[in-house]
Amino acid sequence: VQLVESGGGLVQAGGSLRLSCATSGFTFDDYAIGWFRQAPGKEREGVSCISVGGGTTHYADSVKGRFTISSDNAKNTVHLQMNSLKPEDTAIYYCAAGRSRFADYICADVWGNDYWGQGTQVTVSS
């Protein structure tokens, strides 16, 4: 099983980044895929999740209206489009897969997810 994140980087406040999570080794449709982030000194939190088979999405309140999650089922890849970035969005962003049809469930049960990527750094300067 592999989850490989890409697309992180340094951006000014107000800018945009698009993260991608390429997955392999499991049945994509049976899982929900989520983006999580961890800032220095803070707990890992769910940012946005999508249930590929269930067709549901979930967003943390802090990113609603700014971030959009989507899946490319042909490529077993999940994207996170991040717009209007703020310095408080600075963190390491991880993607994870949990065997559930409910996006909100895997976003809430952070450490219950089955597979994790290595993470990608997102830094937003003020």
Side-chain angles (χ1 to χ4, degrees):
V1 173
Q2 281 194 312
L3 288 84
V4 180
E5 301 98 336
S6 62
L10 172 64
V11 66
Q12 288 188 329
S16 298
L17 284 173
R18 187 186 192 221
L19 304 183
S20 296
C21 175
T23 75
S24 62
F26 61 92
T27 304
F28 194 63
D29 289 356
D30 287 345
Y31 283 75
I33 310 295
W35 285 98
F36 301 82
R37 67 186 180 188
Q38 188 163 18
K42 294 190 176 181
E43 293 188 355
R44 193 169 297 189
E45 62 175 353
V47 175
S48 182
C49 300
I50 185 167
S51 169
V52 180
T56 61
T57 58
H58 175 79
Y59 296 91
D61 288 343
S62 58
V63 305
K64 281 181 182 176
R66 301 188 297 122
F67 291 11
T68 303
I69 193 168
S70 62
S71 67
D72 182 341
N73 294 4
K75 296 182 178 179
N76 290 356
T77 298
V78 171
H79 303 288
L80 184 68
Q81 178 67 42
M82 305 188 296
N83 299 329
S84 302
L85 282 161
K86 304 175 181 180
E88 51 263 44
D89 294 318
T90 295
I92 299 176
Y93 282 70
Y94 301 89
C95 68
R99 187 149 189 169
S100 173
R101 295 182 67 83
F102 301 104
D104 55 349
Y105 181 81
I106 72 153
C107 260
D109 187 21
V110 175
W111 297 110
N113 289 291
D114 299 293
Y115 309 117
W116 287 87
Q118 293 300 307
T120 185
Q121 177 71 47
V122 171
T123 303
V124 184
S125 63
S126 56

